Each structure stands twice: as structure tokens, then as C-alpha cells.
């Protein structure tokens, strides 16, 4: 049975295999003994091998040992879990925050605890899978609105008057690198008395003067009822969080099943998140460099003929359409020691397979120039841009 299903996956060009790294998740990585220029990492600030973070992990292991030994509500809560939650709340400008073991678990746990079958959830068509899974698990009626389209959201909301409801959107979309139109969405939520949840997994540490994310980018701190984010991307650690009013956080602590029924993150992981948060707050130059890299590479890719949209974010998508073309492009780049993954369904809708470039603050101009030249060569070989 599984063989047959695997054959179908392979026939559709959608088979995936794991690639094993042998070095930290940095601008350059080692794989099968060879060096690759990494352009597919979510470690946007390039902090995974930062000495301050590795030292924080070592110190925490010395002090607390390795595993946390239990779920947060039994024996697994440490003073540094509390400290991280207080710091995240201050960072996001909310009353309180709750740390989950992953961003996926934060979305699934929070949404399914907040909404039930009597609710309606308005969800952007391109929201992350963990948001979608949380919506499904809640049992609420799910109304999908057109991607980043406040007019469509408004029209869908008005078709469900008087319902208890939630609007949920990614802040920075991980697939196209575009930013949700939060000012309009906040206004719609307020006017219709709906709660608003923003998944800021990719914007936390990246957007806004202090790295506070999409709400800070738009000057809307305080306008988001449920602020979700991760430590797993710019913060070079692991885990997710939800920040909001004290009552919301107390409620989630008592009801979010992915929080209650899972062993807490290890003290070492929490210590790394704390150290990374400190760097995010105190080193805005990292963000500036990252976004400057991004503007440079986007402009150059457009100049050689790639259709690359203009978003002020570190995610650059080159849409290629068919999955086999995306895989071929990625493999040819790998032969040139450039690591850029092909992104295919179910991560993206059918017909929109692509290369997704994720930049890091620690890439150099030479790295970017080399990447550009290889992407251009392969683009010409495959006829994606004119020869
Ligand atoms: C938008 C978005 N939300 C949530 C997640 C899940 O976060 P994590 O990888 O920490 O589970 C991801 C990452 O894959 C994501 O891209």
C-alpha cells in the first residue's frame, strides 16, 4: 500500500528526501563533506553558531542539566521559562506570553483552545499549515478569504453577522515573502468585534525597528489580540509562543492541549532563546544588513530577467510552476554548491512550485554575487530567463 502511494508521489514530482548537514546552520554549511553556500535557512540573523548562544546553552546545561523532565504543569517549568515569557511579553508589548514547544504546537494548541464549533474563523488562503491544522482541530466553521485581500475578508465577514469569530493571518508569509495588510485587517476586526491572531513566525526578529515583527513594522503594537511567533527562525533556537492579555495566557495555560500534554523545552533551549532575544533587541544592524542584502539580490535578479516581486523581507521566491522544473533548478544549483531548496505542493498550491531563497544577515556581498551568477546560469540553461 505504501509503495503504491509513494509511486504516486514520485510520479507527481513531489517525492522529498532528507538532506543531512554536518555543520551549524550558517551562511556556509557542510554536507557529505562538501561546502555549500546556504540560501534556504530560516536562521535569518545567522545566529545558530553565535558564541553567545552556544555559551548560553552550555551554561544552562551546567546549571540545570539536559532534559526538562516533565510537562510545564507537572515538573518541567523552570525559572528561565518564566523569564523568557516575561521578556517575550515585554518585546511584543503585551501583558503576558506562553512558550510552546514549537511554533506548530503554539498554533494548533492556541487556535483549538480558543475556538470551538460555535465560532467562525476567517483564515487567509495562504496561511501556514499549522494555522490551518489548528483551525480544523477547533471544529469551528472555517471561512477562507483571498490572500492578503481585505475587501474579500470584509465581504466574507459581513456574510456571518453576529458570530463569535477570529481572523487569523500570517504576518510575513513564508512562501512569497509578502506582508499581510495588517492596518486594514485590524480595522475590520475592530469594527466587527472579532479577535485577531497574527502568526509572526518569520517576522519576529526581522521586521520592525526593534525586530518586534509585523505589528511593529506597521506601528500597530497593541492592535493584535493574539500574537504568535517562533524562536526557531531568526532567534536560532526552538519553540513557539503566544503573547496577549493575561486572561488569554492563563486560559491557554489551562486548556491548550499541545502545551499541557508535552514535555517542556529543555533549559538549554530556553537559555538560547533568551540570549538571542537580547541580540535581536540590541543589535538592529543585523536586521539592516539582512534587509539590504535582500533589496540588492531582488533588484539584481529582476535585472537579469527573473519575475521577483518587491517585498522588503528576506524571503525571495522565484516561481517556476512545475515541480520537476523546480527540482531540476535546485539540483543544478546544488551541483554548483549553492543550497536552495525547491518548494512544492503541499507547501505551495499546485502549479506554483518554486525556488525559495532565504537570506541571512551573515551572508557577504561575495556570497550574494556568487549566488546570483549561479542562479542566472541555471536560469538560462533551463530557459527560465532569456539566453
Ligand atoms: C508561518 C509559520 N508558522 C508556524 C511555523 C511553525 O513553527 P516551528 O517550525 O517553530 O514549529 C512555521 C515554520 O515552519 C511557519 O513558517
Amino acid at each position: 500500500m505504501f509503495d503504491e502511494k509513494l509511486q504516486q508521489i514520485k510520479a507527481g514530482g513531489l517525492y522529498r528526501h532528507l538532506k543531512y548537514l554536518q555543520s551549524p546552520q550558517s551562511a556556509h554549511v557542510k554536507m557529505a563533506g562538501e561546502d555549500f553556500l546556504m540560501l534556504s535557512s530560516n536562521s535569518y540573523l545567522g545566529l545558530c553558531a553565535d558564541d553567545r548562544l552556544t555559551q548560553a546553552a552550555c551554561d544552562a546545561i551546567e546549571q540545570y542539566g539536559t532534559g526538562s523532565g516533565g510537562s510545564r504543569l507537572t515538573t518541567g517549568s523552570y525559572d528561565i521559562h518564566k523569564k523568557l515569557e516575561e521578556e517575550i511579553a515585554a518585546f511584543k508589548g503585551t501583558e503576558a506570553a506562553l512558550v510552546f514547544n514549537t511554533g506548530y504546537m503554539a498554533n494548533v494548541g492556541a487556535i483549538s483552545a480558543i475556538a470551538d464549533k460555535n465560532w467562525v474563523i476567517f483564515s487567509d488562503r495562504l496561511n501556514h499549515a499549522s494555522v490551518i491544522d489548528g483551525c480544523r482541530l477547533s471544529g469551528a466553521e472555517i471561512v477562507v478569504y483571498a490572500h492578503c485581500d481585505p475587501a474579500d475578508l470584509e465581504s466574507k465577514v459581513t456574510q456571518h453577522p453576529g458570530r463569535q469569530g477570529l481572523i487569523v493571518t500570517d504576518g510575513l508569509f513564508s512562501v512569497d515573502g509578502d506582508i499581510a495588510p495588517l492596518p486594514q485587517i485590524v480595522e475590520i476586526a475592530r469594527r466587527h468585534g472579532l479577535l485577531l491572531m497574527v502568526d509572526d513566525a518569520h517576522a519576529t526578529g526581522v521586521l520592525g525597528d526593534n525586530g518586534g515583527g509585523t505589528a511593529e513594522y506597521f506601528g500597530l503594537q497593541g492592535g493584535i489580540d493574539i500574537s504568535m511567533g517562533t524562536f526557531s527562525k531568526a532567534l536560532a533556537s526552538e519553540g513557539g509562543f503566544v503573547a496577549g492579555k493575561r486572561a488569554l495566557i492563563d486560559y491557554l495555560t489551562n486548556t491548550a492541549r499541545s502545551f499541557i500534554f508535552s514535555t517542556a523545552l529543555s533549559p538549554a533551549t530556553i537559555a538560547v532563546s533568551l540570549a538571542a532575544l537580547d541580540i535581536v533587541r540590541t543589535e538592529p544592524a543585523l536586521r539592516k544588513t539582512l534587509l539590504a542584502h535582500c533589496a540588492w539580490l531582488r533588484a539584481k535578479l529582476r535585472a537579469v530577467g527573473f519575475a521577483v516581486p518587491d517585498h522588503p523581507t528576506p524571503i525571495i521566491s522565484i516561481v517556476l510552476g512545475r515541480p520537476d522544473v523546480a527540482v531540476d533548478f535546485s539540483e543544478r544549483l546544488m551541483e554548483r554548491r549553492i543550497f536552495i531548496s525547491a518548494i512544492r505542493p503541499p507547501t505551495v498550491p499546485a502549479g506554483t512550485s518554486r525556488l525559495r531563497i532565504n537570506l541571512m544577515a551573515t551572508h557577504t556581498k561575495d556570497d550574494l554575487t556568487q549566488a546570483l551568477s549561479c542562479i542566472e546560469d541555471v536560469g538560462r540553461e533551463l530557459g527560465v530567463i532569456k539566453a
Side-chain angles (χ1 to χ4, degrees):
M1 174 184 112
F2 295 121
D3 283 340
E4 226 171 84
K5 294 203 171 202
L6 280 169
Q7 278 316 323
Q8 285 167 9
I9 293 173
K10 284 181 183 163
L14 300 178
Y15 184 75
R16 302 163 185 225
H17 62 273
L18 297 165
K19 302 184 194 78
Y20 296 97
L21 303 184
Q22 301 160 315
S23 65
Q25 186 82 214
S26 298
H28 292 259
V29 296
K30 193 159 265 193
M31 197 169 60
E34 305 270 358
D35 287 320
F36 287 78
L37 173 57
M38 170 54 86
L39 286 150
S40 271
S41 175
N42 294 327
S43 181
Y44 297 113
L45 302 181
L47 294 175
C48 281
D50 187 282
D51 289 345
R52 293 162 292 182
L53 270 55
T54 52
Q55 191 58 51
C58 294
D59 292 347
I61 288 174
E62 290 247 319
Q63 184 175 350
Y64 299 100
T66 53
S68 67
S71 70
R72 290 286 302 284
L73 288 169
T74 57
T75 54
S77 258
Y78 285 81
D79 51 357
I80 53 175
H81 284 102
K82 182 163 181 270
K83 183 163 194 274
L84 181 59
E85 287 169 347
E86 287 167 355
E87 296 209 1
I88 279 293
F91 180 60
K92 288 282 178 179
T94 61
E95 289 176 8
L98 186 65
V99 171
F100 289 74
N101 289 355
T102 64
Y104 186 99
M105 290 166 79
N107 275 333
V108 166
I111 298 171
S112 64
I114 290 165
D116 63 27
K117 63 180 175 27
N118 299 313
W119 284 57
V120 54
I121 303 180
F122 302 95
S123 175
D124 186 288
R125 190 174 71 83
L126 294 187
N127 275 342
H128 188 258
S130 54
V131 171
I132 296 170
D133 292 356
C135 294
R136 288 179 181 156
L137 199 60
S138 73
E141 181 182 354
I142 302 167
V143 175
V144 175
Y145 62 91
H147 176 56
C148 284
D149 186 341
D152 190 51
L153 171 62
E154 172 88 45
S155 119
K156 299 250 156 80
V157 166
T158 49
Q159 287 163 32
H160 296 79
R163 292 281 299 280
Q164 186 150 43
L166 170 73
I167 299 173
V168 59
T169 180
D170 286 13
L172 162 50
F173 286 85
S174 60
V175 166
D176 289 318
D178 51 341
I179 301 174
L182 277 195
Q184 293 94 319
I185 295 177
V186 167
E187 195 274 319
I188 292 171
R190 290 291 159 268
R191 195 153 34 78
H192 292 275
L194 300 166
L195 284 179
L196 173 59
M197 175 168 181
V198 176
D199 172 341
D200 242 357
H202 289 269
T204 300
V206 170
L207 293 184
D209 287 346
N210 301 300
T214 318
E216 191 194 346
Y217 174 82
F218 284 115
L220 287 170
Q221 298 96 316
I224 315 299
D225 303 298
I226 305 156
S227 243
M228 176 273 170
T230 58
F231 302 105
S232 55
K233 304 189 191 303
L235 281 100
S237 181
E238 288 167 340
F241 63 83
V242 173
K245 291 244 188 275
R246 165 64 59 197
L248 167 76
I249 299 308
D250 283 350
Y251 177 72
L252 292 179
T253 306
N254 283 277
T255 56
R257 292 172 66 82
S258 62
F259 173 79
I260 299 171
F261 297 107
S262 188
T263 298
L265 285 172
S266 73
T269 301
I270 298 296
V272 171
S273 298
L274 275 165
L277 196 54
D278 196 41
I279 295 174
V280 162
R281 281 184 306 224
T282 55
E283 295 186 23
L286 283 173
R287 262 186 304 286
K288 284 205 182 96
T289 306
L290 173 67
L291 297 178
H293 282 351
C294 187
W296 185 88
L297 188 59
R298 274 181 203 281
K300 294 286 178 192
L301 286 168
R302 267 205 303 274
V304 297
F306 288 102
V308 170
D310 194 13
H311 305 305
T313 70
I315 301 170
I316 305 175
S317 261
I318 301 178
V319 177
L320 298 164
R322 288 199 343 242
D324 53 323
V325 178
V327 171
D328 194 9
F329 207 129
S330 168
E331 282 172 356
R332 286 173 194 236
L333 287 172
M334 292 283 186
E335 281 161 19
R336 291 161 166 85
R337 302 288 173 261
I338 306 285
F339 193 130
I340 301 179
S341 297
I343 309 292
R344 293 167 281 168
T347 309
V348 291
T352 67
S353 289
R354 64 193 64 205
L355 288 186
R356 182 176 57 189
I357 303 169
N358 296 48
L359 295 181
M360 289 186 196
T362 43
H363 283 128
T364 63
K365 247 319 165 26
D366 281 353
D367 290 337
L368 300 185
T369 308
Q370 186 199 348
L372 174 67
S373 143
C374 293
I375 296 168
E376 195 181 339
D377 284 352
V378 177
R380 291 191 204 291
E381 272 172 31
L382 293 179
V384 175
I385 55 172
K386 287 202 192 89

